[in-house]
């Protein structure tokens, strides 16, 4: 490395590099920017990195490093402003460590910095972005966190074991994104969050928050609100209709009880994702929802909705055109969807790729509207466990992007045809049946596949369908080519 001692910038990100970082890297005394993210580098981090006294940015994220990072790795990094180590590392420093730097960005996702909230963070008064998700931190959010959030725009402490003390964030006037999902937070959502005038994205999903949703949230200009998987109750505050910039609203899996509010369709016309599933909403599905032509993902499953399915869903252009809308990146977004028979979690850009309509487990009556057959962009349609009757529309075969269809436990019958209609476009592999208690039995030879991230982006299409009065028979298959073997008998 001595021959390159005048180097100021090393940027070899996204280069498929493998191997270890040489310890001689520490001799590059003029180096200001070291960016080696998203490679296959492994081994331990040499402590000689701590000798780069002119280093301003260190990004080693998305690699395969292991081992411990200690105070020696930061010994002379007094000019460091941006720190992004790789996941799976362990940060081990003394409780009274005083870092030599003042950072603006900390990106320590999946870096073990616990078990306690890192005391050395209290020394960082210039922070703009703090990401310590899945960092094995437990305990109470310290009161001094309010001291270091004065200039902060992004805070992500998701996936830890933090308990209450959310009020400390009510003075962080510059925060535009907060992610506290997947923690152990309890109590009520503080009304004082309305003080955060710059807040665009609020994610407190998957906690134990209770009480009503505060009306004061309607004073914000949120584009994303995720409060799913809590213990929230009561009605939807009418003030939420003021969130006219909202594109993602997820309140699923709570204890909310309200007549389904028509104002969602009238006022929140920028919505692209709406999940109110597993609550206690009642009444009919308002036709006003059809005014939201940007709606790509609608999940109203597991409520007490009645009446018929609105005939106007074909007005929802995001579902009917199949085109991809341009959605700004939603900070820290994780959304659960039920696809291919199992719950899957979709993250970030993966959410934008899905077109889902789920009205299952309600009290809906009447037939399946022909208008649904025009939603050719749909990848998942679930109408199971209702009181639907009549003939299954043959033109469901027009839904060429469909991966998952569930019509189980209704009073539907098949159309008069010598063939299986739209099933003739699919090569069938396995048989799935729903028994009377609602559970599913799949043949042991059914390939389950990896239930991890590969399923999120895979286009090996699995197909489900249910027909018949009082019972359900479905098919589990892989979609190959839509019109291949189109004339074959099933």
């Amino acid at each position: 490395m001595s021959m390159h001692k005048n180097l100021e910038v090393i940027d070899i990100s996204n280069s498929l590099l493998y191997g270890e970082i040489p310890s001689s890297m520490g001799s590059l005394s003029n180096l200001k920017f070291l960016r080696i993210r998203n490679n296959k580098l492994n081994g331990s981090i040499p402590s000689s990195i701590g000798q780069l006294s002119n280093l301003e940015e260190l990004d080693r994220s998305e690699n395969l490093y292991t081992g411990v990072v200690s105070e020696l790795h930061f010994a002379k990094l007094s000019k460091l402003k941006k720190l992004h180590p790789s996941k799976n590392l362990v940060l081990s420093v003394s409780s009274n460590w005083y870092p030599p730097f003042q950072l603006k960005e900390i990106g320590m996702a999946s870096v073990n910095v616990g078990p306690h909230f890192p005391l050395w963070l209290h020394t960082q008064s210039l922070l703009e972005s703090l990401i310590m998700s899945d960092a094995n931190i437990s305990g109470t959010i310290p009161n001094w966190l309010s001291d270091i959030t004065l200039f902060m725009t992004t805070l992500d402490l998701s996936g830890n074991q933090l308990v209450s003390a959310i009020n400390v964030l009510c003075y962080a006037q510059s925060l535009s994104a907060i992610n506290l999902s997947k923690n152990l937070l309890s109590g009520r959502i503080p009304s004082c969050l309305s003080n955060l005038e710059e807040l665009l994205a609020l994610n407190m999903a998957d906690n134990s928050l209770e009480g009503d949703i505060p009306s004061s949230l309607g004073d914000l200009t949120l584009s994303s609100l995720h409060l799913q998987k809590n213990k929230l109750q009561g009605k939807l505050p009418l003030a939420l209709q003021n969130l006219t910039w909202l594109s993602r609203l997820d309140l699923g899996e709570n204890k909310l009880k309200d007549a389904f509010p028509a104002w969602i369709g009238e006022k929140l016309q920028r919505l692209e994702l709406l999940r109110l599933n597993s609550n206690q909403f009642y009444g009919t599905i308002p036709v006003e929802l059809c005014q939201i032509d940007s709606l790509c993902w609608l999940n109203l499953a597991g409520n007490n909705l009645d009446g018929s399915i609105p005939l106007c869903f074909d007005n929802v252009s995001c579902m009917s055109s199949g085109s991809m809308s341009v959605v700004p990146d939603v900070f820290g977004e994780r959304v659960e969807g039920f696809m291919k028979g199992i719950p899957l979690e979709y993250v970030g850009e993966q959410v934008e790729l899905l077109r889902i309509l789920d009205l299952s487990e309600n009290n809906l009556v009447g037939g399946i509207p022909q208008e649904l057959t025009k939603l050719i962009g749909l990848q998942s349609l679930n109408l199971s466990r209702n009181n639907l009757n009549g003939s299954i529309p043959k033109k469901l075969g027009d839904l060429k992007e469909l991966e998952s269809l569930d019509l189980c436990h209704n009073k539907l019958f098949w159309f008069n045809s010598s063939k299986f209609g739209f099933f003739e476009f699919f090569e069938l592999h396995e048989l799935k049946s729903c028994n009377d208690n609602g559970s599913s039995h799949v043949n042991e030879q059914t390939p389950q596949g990896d239930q991890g991230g590969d399923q999120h982006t895979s286009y090996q299409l699995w197909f489900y369908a249910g027909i018949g009065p009082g019972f359900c028979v479905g098919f589990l298959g892989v979609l190959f080519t839509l019109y291949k073997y189109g004339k074959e008998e099933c």
Side-chain angles (χ1 to χ4, degrees):
M1 287 287 183
S2 59
M3 63 181 355
H4 303 297
K5 62 182 181 179
N6 293 323
L7 273 176
E8 294 186 358
V9 178
I10 294 179
D11 191 341
I12 47 177
S13 301
N14 310 304
S15 300
L16 299 177
L17 295 175
Y18 60 90
E20 300 185 12
I21 298 178
S23 59
S24 57
M25 182 80 74
S27 65
L28 302 178
S29 56
N30 292 315
L31 195 63
K32 294 182 178 180
F33 302 96
L34 177 55
R35 303 177 183 131
I36 49 179
R37 72 181 305 274
N38 197 22
N39 285 288
K40 298 183 182 297
L41 299 171
N42 56 19
S44 58
I45 306 294
S47 59
S48 60
I49 293 290
Q51 301 301 308
L52 301 176
S53 57
N54 285 304
L55 197 64
E56 298 178 17
E57 180 177 339
L58 176 57
D59 190 344
R60 302 177 301 221
S61 58
E62 303 300 325
N63 277 287
L64 305 174
Y65 302 119
T66 57
V68 175
V69 176
S70 68
E71 298 173 23
L72 288 176
H73 291 81
F74 305 104
K76 295 183 179 180
L77 305 188
S78 59
K79 296 183 179 179
L80 194 65
K81 301 299 180 186
K82 298 180 181 181
L83 175 61
H84 295 267
S86 184
K87 61 183 180 181
N88 299 324
L89 292 172
V90 176
L91 179 64
S92 178
V93 295
S94 63
S95 59
N96 60 354
W97 180 51
Y98 198 101
F101 46 67
Q102 281 290 324
L103 297 174
K104 289 186 177 181
E105 291 183 14
I106 297 177
M108 290 189 172
S110 300
V111 176
N112 189 342
V113 301
H116 306 296
F117 211 95
L119 290 176
W120 62 266
L121 279 179
H122 198 183
T123 67
Q124 304 300 297
S125 59
L126 301 179
L127 271 179
E128 297 175 0
S129 176
L130 173 59
I131 298 176
M132 282 189 172
S133 57
D134 301 300
N136 192 33
I137 306 173
S138 58
T140 303
I141 299 175
N143 290 330
W144 54 256
L145 187 66
S146 60
D147 299 335
I148 66 171
T149 56
L150 295 177
F151 306 105
M152 199 179 295
T153 60
T154 301
L155 175 64
D156 184 354
L157 298 175
S158 62
N160 289 291
Q161 298 88 44
L162 296 170
V163 296
S164 299
I166 311 173
N167 287 325
V168 300
L169 302 179
C170 291
Y171 307 100
Q173 298 289 330
S174 299
L175 273 176
S176 62
I178 297 175
N179 190 350
L180 297 175
S181 63
K182 292 191 172 183
N183 277 286
L184 303 175
L185 303 177
S186 59
R188 293 176 173 267
I189 299 173
S191 298
C192 59
L193 289 178
S194 61
N195 296 335
L196 309 183
E197 297 179 355
E198 303 297 322
L199 194 62
L200 300 176
L202 177 60
N203 191 341
M204 293 194 289
D206 209 345
N207 282 285
S208 296
L209 298 170
E210 56 190 9
D212 297 338
I213 298 174
S215 297
S216 59
L217 293 183
D219 297 335
L220 299 170
T221 55
L222 293 173
S223 62
S224 175
L225 177 60
H226 287 263
L227 300 176
Q228 69 268 24
K229 290 190 174 182
N230 279 288
K231 300 177 181 179
L232 301 172
Q233 58 192 26
K235 297 184 177 182
L236 280 188
L238 186 61
L240 294 189
Q241 68 180 324
N242 298 326
L243 301 178
T244 55
W245 291 97
L246 204 61
S247 63
R248 310 286 169 92
L249 176 60
D250 194 341
L251 305 176
E253 299 180 61
N254 279 288
K255 299 178 180 180
L256 300 171
K257 187 174 183 178
D258 196 1
F260 196 99
W263 54 259
I264 290 181
E266 294 172 343
K267 302 295 185 180
L268 307 184
Q269 295 198 11
R270 289 183 172 85
L271 278 180
E272 297 183 341
L273 180 147
L274 175 62
R275 294 179 78 249
L276 301 178
N277 55 295
S278 302
N279 281 285
Q280 300 175 47
F281 289 99
Y282 56 88
T284 60
I285 300 175
V287 295
E288 286 82 0
L289 279 184
C290 301
Q291 299 177 19
I292 312 176
D293 58 4
S294 60
L295 194 59
C296 305
W297 188 328
L298 176 62
N299 189 344
L300 306 180
N303 284 286
N304 297 313
L305 301 173
D306 53 30
S308 57
I309 299 173
L311 304 179
C312 55
F313 272 122
D314 57 332
N315 293 332
V316 182
S317 60
C318 186
M319 295 182 185
S320 60
S321 68
S323 61
M324 297 293 179
S325 59
V326 179
V327 182
D329 181 43
V330 179
F331 168 77
E333 182 173 50
R334 300 182 181 189
V335 183
E336 187 175 281
F338 198 84
M339 293 280 283
K340 307 172 187 179
I342 56 175
L344 298 173
E345 188 175 70
Y346 298 88
V347 182
E349 293 180 356
Q350 295 169 343
V351 176
E352 300 175 20
L353 301 177
L354 294 175
R355 305 291 180 266
I356 292 176
L357 177 59
D358 192 342
L359 306 178
S360 62
E361 298 185 59
N362 282 288
N363 301 308
L364 301 176
V365 297
I368 298 177
Q370 290 286 341
E371 286 77 6
L372 293 188
T373 67
K374 298 179 182 179
L375 303 181
I376 60 174
L378 276 183
Q379 293 155 301
S380 178
L381 175 60
N382 193 344
L383 305 177
S384 66
R385 294 170 176 80
N386 280 288
N387 295 309
L388 300 174
N389 55 36
S391 173
I392 298 174
K394 184 175 182 179
K395 286 193 173 182
L396 279 179
D398 293 340
L399 304 183
K400 299 173 184 178
E401 300 296 324
L402 206 61
E403 300 180 23
S404 178
L405 172 65
D406 194 346
L407 307 178
C408 289
H409 297 282
N410 283 290
K411 299 177 181 179
L412 300 164
F413 59 86
W414 202 248
F415 48 82
N416 184 18
S417 174
S418 61
K419 298 184 178 181
F420 281 104
F422 62 92
F423 288 118
E424 67 187 11
F425 302 127
F426 296 85
E427 184 172 342
L428 304 176
H429 287 266
E430 296 293 342
L431 179 66
K432 168 176 172 277
S433 63
C434 299
N435 60 31
D436 290 337
N437 64 18
S439 63
S440 297
H441 171 74
V442 182
N443 188 304
E444 289 182 1
Q445 279 72 44
T446 301
Q448 296 299 321
D450 178 11
Q451 296 185 13
D454 290 343
Q455 286 182 320
H456 297 165
T457 55
S458 170
Y459 283 88
Q460 297 178 0
L461 303 182
W462 293 74
F463 189 78
Y464 297 84
I467 60 173
F471 67 93
C472 172
V473 176
F475 293 97
L476 178 62
V478 179
L479 174 59
F480 289 107
T481 307
L482 277 171
Y483 290 100
K484 185 178 181 181
Y485 309 124
K487 300 301 182 181
E488 287 187 8
E489 298 283 352
C490 291

